[in-house]
Amino acid sequence: MASQGFGVRQTISAALLFTVVLFFLPALTVRSDPAGQSPEAGGLPNGEAVLPIERTPSAVSTGGRDKGRAVRLLTREGEVLDLTMAEYLWGVVAAEMPAVFEQEALAAQACAARTYTVVRQNGSKHPEADICGDSTCCQAYIDRSAAEARWGLSAREYGEKIDRAVAETDGLGILYEGSPIQALFFSSAPGKTVDAVEVWGNPVAYLKSVDSPEGEEVPNYRTQVVLGAEEVKSLTLAAYPGADLSGDPGLWFGEASRNEGGGVISIPLGGVTLTGGQVRSLFSLRSACFTVAWDGSQFTFDVTGYGHGVGMSQYGANAMAKTGSTFSDILTWYYTGTEVGELW
């Protein structure tokens, strides 16, 4: 009886072991694909799956000081969002600067954007919000999910770079004599930035012209705008009805006064003296660094750089970062006489 009972127990044990193996076998044989996709189902050719963007974890968390500050954002669609400063700055950096830029350039952008935001919060143009998401008024902003969708397979890498840029500068701003500055920035300069007095007529101690190291590596660094005489005439008279644009179009523009970087400070047009910025706006030029020529049938504007030219050049910041400059080096270079310090 004992040997028979032992045989029965062996049979039962074998059956149990067989059941356990059958239960766990599928889990042991499924390949470790994070999204559970095969190449035919949308994965990559080598069996690597694309992790859905909304599930992509961030390995970098932003600092605590920005998380404790609130920002009310008026979106371009008219919605008011309540965000933390960390969330808001992520969206500004993603919208305002290419995520492929150097880490220290992104950090400089985050710090400049934070400083700009603080100043706007103390005197907003928008009664219902601190700041808006329109770059022509305040600062551009993009929602994280929209930015990551735009970046595709680079979403995780770029998202974490911007996380680090915000975290690296957590709570820091650009200060002049202890107060946050108007941290203006733009895309690219033609060798030098522009003194604020040239653009807006008022001198600002920390917004002076400085050398900027970017150049031909900048996309569309040199552009052309070609306009016929009638188009120049109609655009000019609509904005400046006192201009005299009769006679030979070749005589409409006078000799330009230029700054050290080649930008136009002022130029006569039909007897009315305009600033370079006014001409830039009038004819939709990318910057106020331009020359204009008449060939008997049309005007050709040759333009260098992009933006108003005051404050930090984003491509210049990236060029500085490539040669080892820190975000603090970049900011104190472009904003004369400033220092980087805590805002809160």
Side-chain angles (χ1 to χ4, degrees), residues 151-164:
W151 292 328
L153 294 177
S154 299
R156 180 169 183 165
E157 175 193 354
Y158 290 167
E160 289 184 354
K161 283 181 71 176
I162 296 176
D163 280 334
R164 285 193 293 273

Side-chain angles (χ1 to χ4, degrees), residues 186 189-196 198 205-214 260-261 309-313 320 330-337:
F186 63 99
K192 281 182 174 291
T193 66
V194 178
D195 194 306
E198 292 183 22
Y206 51 80
L207 295 176
K208 300 297 185 183
S209 174
V210 298
D211 292 336
S212 195
E214 71 271 41
E260 291 182 4
V310 180
M312 184 183 73
S313 164
M320 289 183 67
I330 293 166
L331 295 172
T332 53
W333 174 257
Y334 280 108
Y335 303 108
T336 304

